[in-house]
Structure formats: structure tokens, C-alpha cells
Amino acid sequence: MTTQPAEHNPVINQGSMADTPDGQLPVGLTLPDGEALLSVRNLKKVYQTDGGGIEAVRNLTFDLPKGELTCLVGPSGSGKTTLLKAISGLLEPTAGEVKLGGKLVTSPPKNMAVVFQEYGRSLYPWMRVRENVELPLKVQGMDKAQRDKVVDDALEAVGLDHVPRSYPWQLSGGMQQRVAIARAVAYQPEVLLMDEPFAAVDAQTRADLEDLVRRVWRQLGVTILFVTHDIDESVYLGSRVVILSSSPTVIQQDIKIDLPDERDQLETRSSQRFSELRHHVYEQIQLAKEGFRPDAAKAQA
Amino acid sequence: MRFLKDFFHIIALPALLIVAWIVWSSQSTSFFVPTLEQMSNAFSSTWTWNRMQSDVFPSVARLIAGLVLSIVIGIVVGLLVGSFRWLRQLMEPTMEFFRAIPPTVLIPVFMLLIGIGDDMKIAVIVLGAVWPILLNTIEGVRSMDEVLSDTSHTYRIDGIARIRYLILPSAMPQIMAGIRQSLSIALILMVISEMFASSAGLGYTIIQFQRSFAIPEMWSGIVVLGLIGVIMSFIFQIVERSVLKWYHGQREMENAG
């Protein structure tokens, strides 16, 4: 890997080198077969356009252990959304595979929920808040009594039990994103994917929502993959941060966030360890922006 | 106070037009411009309950039947054509061809094929009124928000549920715009369909008056037509406001913010 100052080095997840067609590509943390809840292997996505192919994602390999909150951070345009869409089964990868619980993902799996950045466009504007949260369960065929209970619990968990009869567009951006999170929670997924969910809300609301995600994660024991371009956010939220290179995307580094489990916006963010980790991630992102390629560095070594 | 003001706004222009007509008709000696007195006499003697039952209600019933059929066909075919690209490519040239044919020129053909009964008249109405609904539905389905579509996929809202909870409501603003256009087309075609080989109906009655130089009666028939149009548009507005409550609310919110 790259040369880092010896002291305060973050813990770098030791990924086993997967057998890739290109030989030794940098990979994220991988687990032995059967241990990972979600596994991404040699994922590649090339968009076909009139002007030739555009390689959004070159080669990504990593695993998500059950119950972990992993943050994916990368410079803008690093194919984060492409990756997320491929993982959620919305987009067919050009090569490679995604497996959830050992099963190949080809269409959106039952035990996965996604929270998108554009809250204004991911909620049904013709339905009230409660109906929005309820709909996936209704379509699934859950009976009314159970549905009511699950929806009530979900709305309460995100602090929205007072507005079930409002329409989403009557709420602030932060509140709308809470509705989207409540819908995901009510769906009771094993894996929750979040695609820059707080990029469009103001800073204070954002801090509240970050704590909400941590709380939901710890209460429900759900596995979360949280995509963001915000370095502070990734370090504050995650138990692990996967840093992506610039496009065409490979994994630049996969680090463990050894901050205490109890996190607090004030205490955690002003701690020594937080700034070290933040510094490290920031440095890596800078490298990525300048065009440093871990795959090229490997080839030279 | 607010109510009075609104009422004044609604009533002002019609009142002004009636006054202008009274002034004009009192000066005019033309045979074709009846006075207020002639008109009101003609109106009350012509549009009796009997005539309503024999000429107006059957016409309105055909109008409603034609509109309902247009709405059902327009939405169902629009959903299908809007959802599948290959179907759109397959249908587009043919649809443009049939859309370009004025339904009125097909009336003689329809008379031969379907006969001269209600079926033919309803078919003429549908043939003209279906297009705005059909084309708007196709557009509405195609302009589906991508994020909303992805969201529905990830929650596995597919098949019938997808149409019911996602595609139909999301296309509803366009569908309603199409229906609005179809209302006036249907009314025009209702009248025209009764001008050929008919012995009853609102359009038939008006033409008969015209041909027998019963000018005040003819005008009164035209007023009845206008009133039907106003009532239709009024009912449509009420329905539209309740169906698209979310849409207008959201638009207001966006404009305010």
C-alpha cells in the first residue's frame, strides 16, 4: 500500500488477495465462503454509449459481514451510485457478481432495502406518510393488524409518529428522509443500502439523521452499507470505511474505524482518534482525486 | 365577503354578455337575432320534459357512454403502449394515421358497418375522444420518475401492484389533462353524429329547427348545448380536484418554496 506516517496508523483490514483475471488487484476485506452476508466479487460496469464504452466501475471486491455498518467513501464521480445500483439488483454488472446470503443478486432481493439521496423523488407524493411506509408491506401481503404495528413502530423509531396523515411534500427535507428510513425499517431488511442519503439536507438535520442511523443500526442489528462523499460522515458513522479510487473505480483502501461504539456528535468528533482517522481518509481521497491508482501502483511494484 | 367577491367574478361576464345581447337584439331588425322575450318563450316551449326525455337525455347518455369508453380504452391501451418500447414502435405510425382521420368522414362508413343506431354514434364519439387520453397516458407513463421507479423495484412492488400504486397515480396528471381535452371533442362529435340518418337527439333537433327557420328555437338548442358543456366542465373540475389533490398541493408547495 502507500507510505503512511508510522504512528497513528489506522487499522487496515487485511483483505485476502482474490484471484482476479488481472492478477493482483487491491481488494477490500473478504471473508471465507459462507461468512459474508453480502459479497461483491470483481464487479465491473461499463456503460455503452454512442461514443464508446464508459468504464464506471473497473473492479471491486469486498465483503460485508453480518451486522456491520460499512461506509463507502469516494471522490465525486467515482461510480458510487453505479456500485449501489449493481448491488441492489437494479443494474446488471458487465462482469463480476454480487451475492446476498449466498444467493446471486440478479433483481432486487427480498431482504434488502435502499434509501436514495433524492428523498423528494423516492416517496410517493400521492400517498400520506403512513401509506408510504405501509405500501411495501401491503404488497407483500402482510395482514392488517401486523402491518399497523410494524408501521407504528417504524414511525416511532424515526420520531415521526406525529405526522402520519401528512403528505411527504408537506414535510421538510430531513423529515422526508426520515419517512424513507421508516419505510426501510418497516420492511425489515437484512441489508440496508443508503445512497448519500443526507447529501441534500442541512448540516444540523444531517447530524440528527446520522445519529438516527446509528441508533437504528444498533437497535435492529441490520447490516448497513452507507455510501457518502462526506469524509467526516463516513468516519463518524462507520465501523469500517471502504475508500474508492477515482473513476474507473477500484478499492483504494479498506480501513477499520476503531472508535468506541457509543458515538456522540460533540465528543467523538473532537476526539484525537477521530481526527487521525479523518486525516487518513482525507489523505487517501486527495490521492484518489489526484489520479493515484492503486492498481497502477501494484503493477509497478 | 370573499364568497361575494368570488360570486361576482363568476357571474360578471355572463351577465355582461346577456345585457349586450338584449341591447343589440332590441335594435336589430334581423330575422336571425331573436329578442329576449322571443328566446325565453322559445326556450320554455321547446325544452319541455317530454323533449328532454326524447332528445336531450339520450344524447347525453351517448355522450357519457362515449366518454367512459374513451377513458377506459385510452388508459388501458396507453398503459400498455407506454410500458413497452417495442409496442410503441409498432403502434406509433398506425396511431398517427388513424388520429389524422377526422371521425366525421367515417360516419357514412360506420352507418354501413354498424348501422344507424346508438352504437354508431358512440363509436364516432370514441373515435375522436380517445386520442387525447391515449396519447397523454402514453406520455404520462413514459415520464415516470426514475428514482420512484427504482424505489418501487427495490421494494418489489411489481406487476398489478406496480400499475395500481405507481404507474397509474404517477400518470394521473397527464391523464386528467387528456380527459379535459376529450370532453369538448366528445360534445362536438355527439352533435355531429346526430346530423346523419337520425330522427332524435339534440343535434338532430337543432338542425331541424335550423332547416325550418325556427330561429329562436335553434338558438335555444345551442344554449342547451353550451349549458351541457358548462355542467361537464364543472363536474370534471370537482373530480380533478379530488383525484389530483396531491398534485396541486405539491405544485403549490414547490412554487411557494
Side-chain angles (χ1 to χ4, degrees), chain B residues 127-172:
Chain B
L127 203 69
V130 76
W131 301 110
I133 303 172
L134 175 57
L135 297 176
N136 273 284
T137 307
I138 295 174
E139 262 328 289
V141 173
R142 286 185 62 191
S143 60
M144 159 81 56
D145 190 291
E146 208 181 312
V147 178
L148 208 52
S149 169
D150 279 352
T151 305
S152 306
H153 274 309
T154 58
Y155 286 112
R156 295 159 70 96
I157 297 167
D158 297 319
I160 298 290
R162 185 174 165 87
I163 294 174
R164 178 168 166 203
Y165 298 114
L166 174 69
I167 300 178
L168 210 48
S170 130
M172 202 42 89

Side-chain angles (χ1 to χ4, degrees), chain A residues 31-234:
Chain A
L31 298 164
D33 280 347
E35 277 182 35
L37 180 59
L38 181 86
S39 72
V40 177
R41 288 289 174 278
N42 301 317
L43 192 78
K44 178 189 183 83
K45 179 68 196 176
V46 180
Y47 288 104
Q48 291 304 333
T49 65
D50 291 341
I54 294 172
E55 193 179 22
V57 172
R58 177 164 289 173
N59 190 314
L60 286 174
T61 294
F62 64 92
D63 279 341
L64 286 195
K66 198 167 167 46
E68 199 176 45
L69 200 173
T70 303
C71 287
L72 260 172
V73 61
S76 48
S78 59
K80 297 189 287 281
T81 299
T82 304
L83 168 63
L84 213 96
K85 280 196 170 176
I87 293 177
S88 56
L90 290 169
L91 196 72
E92 201 189 343
T94 311
E97 59 179 36
V98 177
K99 275 185 179 168
L100 179 63
K103 268 197 273 179
L104 196 65
V105 173
T106 49
S107 66
K110 195 177 179 313
N111 44 358
M112 180 188 279
V114 185
V115 174
F116 292 95
Q117 178 186 334
E118 303 95 335
Y119 46 79
R121 294 167 57 199
S122 79
L123 296 170
Y124 302 96
W126 46 86
M127 290 183 189
R128 295 167 195 279
V129 164
R130 200 188 163 78
E131 295 162 336
N132 259 288
V133 176
E134 194 182 9
L135 183 64
L137 308 177
K138 200 166 155 182
V139 172
Q140 234 176 36
M142 185 188 280
D143 66 81
K144 180 94 178 86
Q146 197 189 350
R147 218 157 67 202
D148 280 347
K149 192 185 174 318
V150 172
V151 173
D152 282 339
D153 289 350
L155 285 173
E156 203 191 320
V158 302
L160 276 182
D161 33 349
H162 58 295
V163 291
R165 308 244 339 129
S166 299
Y167 283 99
W169 37 267
Q170 293 174 318
L171 306 176
S172 68
M175 298 263 269
Q176 289 184 39
Q177 200 54 294
R178 277 174 199 259
V179 178
I181 294 171
R183 180 170 58 183
V185 167
Y187 195 60
Q188 298 167 319
E190 276 183 84
V191 183
L192 176 57
L193 305 182
M194 305 184 90
D195 185 11
E196 306 205 27
F198 311 142
V201 297
D202 64 87
Q204 282 167 28
T205 308
R206 190 179 187 137
D208 290 345
L209 289 173
E210 283 165 6
D211 289 335
L212 173 69
V213 167
R214 289 279 307 178
R215 201 166 60 236
V216 164
W217 171 60
R218 294 183 65 186
Q219 272 172 11
L220 304 180
V222 62
T223 307
I224 299 182
L225 182 62
F226 190 103
V227 175
T228 178
H229 66 265
D230 184 318
I231 293 155
D232 289 48
E233 186 169 79
S234 70

Side-chain angles (χ1 to χ4, degrees), chain B residues 59-98:
Chain B
S59 290
V60 173
R62 284 192 291 268
L63 174 70
I64 292 171
L67 272 173
V68 169
L69 267 175
S70 302
I71 291 170
V72 172
I73 296 172
I75 291 177
V76 171
V77 177
L79 284 177
L80 284 171
V81 176
S83 304
F84 302 105
R85 217 174 95 90
W86 62 270
L87 201 57
R88 206 154 54 235
Q89 287 168 332
L90 202 72
M91 300 271 291
E92 222 151 45
T94 320
M95 282 199 316
E96 289 299 327
F97 176 81
F98 281 109

